[in-house]
Amino acid sequence: MTRTDAPPAGGPTRAMWRAAHTPVAGVPRWARTTAYAVPFTVLPSGLWRLPIVFDGGVGVGERAYVVLLSIVSELVAFTAVGLVAAWGERFPRWVPGLRGRGIPRLFVIVPAALGAVVLTTVWTITFVTHFAGVTLRGEPIPSAFPTEAGGWEAAAFYVCYLPLLLWGPLLGVTAYAYHRRRRNR
């Protein structure tokens, strides 16, 4: 086998992953950076929640909720990559009846823009009320809450949850780049 005939490093799975997630032509570097940053704004909070699963005093339902919340949050955040990748512009081959067709840009822009507004609003309100010392319901923050313990527990909580304040704005910036790139198509 010659060097040009060699399979891509990592095999066919890695080649498919790269083909699907490589930014399409015309994506500015800043848009690619913001799109790839979105999942990393969500990851710390998911990792912070996962130790709850191993707590002996937590029921099976709550364990399943924590795991599913972490996985679904990360998957939703990962959709921002579609704003710069080919899978955000064309339906994949496995979608019957639509395979290979272009995705109407409003099908992507509207949910991304709404998501950016909702996420920015929700996380801003959540942290404003939290710093005011109350929950979203207006009740005092419980004494068992990690930020009330102070020290390393509070620091770890803030390090893991404050990046969520960036989720909405980064998604909004990436959606704007997608709109600008596709507005004439």
Side-chain angles (χ1 to χ4, degrees):
M1 200 184 246
T2 64
R3 199 67 181 134
T4 58
D5 295 336
T13 304
R14 178 163 283 195
M16 287 188 307
W17 176 268
R18 283 189 182 148
H21 297 92
T22 299
V24 295
V27 173
R29 184 183 190 108
W30 61 266
R32 182 179 53 226
T33 302
T34 59
Y36 290 139
V38 169
F40 290 106
T41 64
V42 179
L43 185 62
S45 62
L47 293 175
W48 186 86
R49 281 189 300 269
L50 287 179
I52 294 170
V53 173
F54 302 105
D55 185 358
V58 177
V60 174
E62 190 172 357
R63 290 176 186 186
Y65 170 76
V66 167
V67 170
L68 287 174
L69 175 62
S70 298
I71 291 170
V72 169
S73 297
E74 197 60 41
L75 289 174
V76 169
F78 189 75
T79 62
V81 175
L83 296 170
V84 299
W87 56 271
E89 294 187 6
R90 297 216 165 279
F91 287 104
R93 291 181 297 189
W94 54 265
V95 178
L98 297 173
R99 63 182 58 147
R101 290 187 182 172
I103 299 173
R105 64 186 181 93
L106 289 180
F107 279 28
V108 176
I109 294 169
V110 170
L114 287 174
V117 169
V118 168
L119 289 165
T120 301
T121 303
V122 165
W123 288 113
T124 301
I125 290 171
T126 298
F127 278 100
V128 166
T129 58
H130 181 79
F131 289 131
V134 295
T135 65
L136 289 173
R137 294 181 180 161
E139 302 162 354
I141 294 176
S143 60
F145 200 74
T147 57
E148 298 302 298
W152 71 268
E153 289 180 14
F157 174 84
Y158 287 125
V159 164
C160 291
Y161 274 86
L162 281 174
L164 291 172
L165 286 169
L166 298 174
W167 186 2
L170 288 173
L171 179 59
V173 166
T174 308
Y176 176 71
Y178 180 91
H179 163 70
R180 285 196 53 193
R181 190 177 77 254
R182 295 214 45 216
R183 69 178 165 213
N184 295 327
R185 293 187 217 172

